[in-house]
Amino acid sequence: MTADRHRYVVATIRAVLVFTGVVVTVGVLYSFSTMPTASSSSAGFVRGLSYLFGSVFFILALAGAGLGIALPSLLGADDALAFDRWQRRCLQGAGGLFVGGFVVGLATGLLTELQFGLLLWLVAIVLAVLVISCVLVWRLFEVFVTALVRLIAAETGE
């Protein structure tokens, strides 16, 4: 596969992951906000179950979007967002949390009880999404500071 074709495939997979993750996340948040309140005659079991499964879908959708952002760093490809070396290392660590959390969660679930393994994997996903979010804020701050320095330099004539 040529380099251009490889870059195109990675960009397409990345776009699909991020777009799908964002759409599902917004859909889950919208369904949470429009969910009717539980009636006084019921104990709210169905509502609680829908919150439980909705939360799992929400976390998995965020994981998909996060994985889409971290994908070029995981594959060692060039990135349009121009992450530096340390940011790429953090994104690779987040990818390790995705995969490692799944493996450890699966092993824990098989050795003990399945829900403990699932909970462990979901915690690893949340940590990975937090790492990716911090890296994105870090990169956005760098872009902001660079633009501010250029603006000040242009105004002072340097």
Side-chain angles (χ1 to χ4, degrees):
M1 185 180 303
T2 64
D4 289 335
R5 190 172 204 180
H6 182 264
R7 196 173 321 140
Y8 176 74
V9 169
V10 169
T12 303
I13 293 170
R14 182 182 199 183
V16 167
L17 283 172
V18 170
F19 181 74
T20 305
V22 168
V23 167
V24 171
T25 301
V26 169
V28 167
L29 289 177
Y30 177 75
S31 68
F32 279 170
S33 67
T34 59
M35 190 181 304
T37 58
S39 65
S40 60
S41 63
S42 72
F45 176 75
V46 174
R47 184 178 172 94
L49 205 57
S50 63
Y51 274 126
L52 176 70
F53 283 109
S55 298
V56 170
F57 282 130
F58 179 76
I59 291 171
L60 291 176
L62 282 178
L67 191 60
I69 292 169
L71 187 64
S73 294
L74 296 175
L75 298 176
D78 291 332
D79 193 5
L81 298 176
F83 292 118
D84 68 12
R85 183 173 60 115
W86 292 107
Q87 292 165 343
R88 290 174 68 92
R89 292 277 186 218
C90 289
L91 291 174
Q92 290 168 352
L97 279 171
F98 282 123
V99 176
F102 176 75
V103 170
V104 170
L106 184 63
T108 302
L110 291 175
L111 294 175
T112 60
E113 293 185 28
L114 188 60
Q115 66 266 25
F116 294 138
L118 180 63
L119 180 65
L120 187 62
W121 183 47
L122 291 177
V123 167
I125 287 175
V126 169
L127 287 174
V129 168
L130 285 174
V131 168
I132 291 170
S133 299
C134 288
V135 169
L136 287 175
V137 168
W138 179 9
R139 180 66 187 128
L140 184 64
F141 184 72
E142 282 180 348
V143 169
F144 174 73
V145 168
T146 303
L148 188 62
V149 166
R150 286 183 184 166
L151 179 69
I152 291 172
E155 286 184 1
T156 59
E158 292 179 15

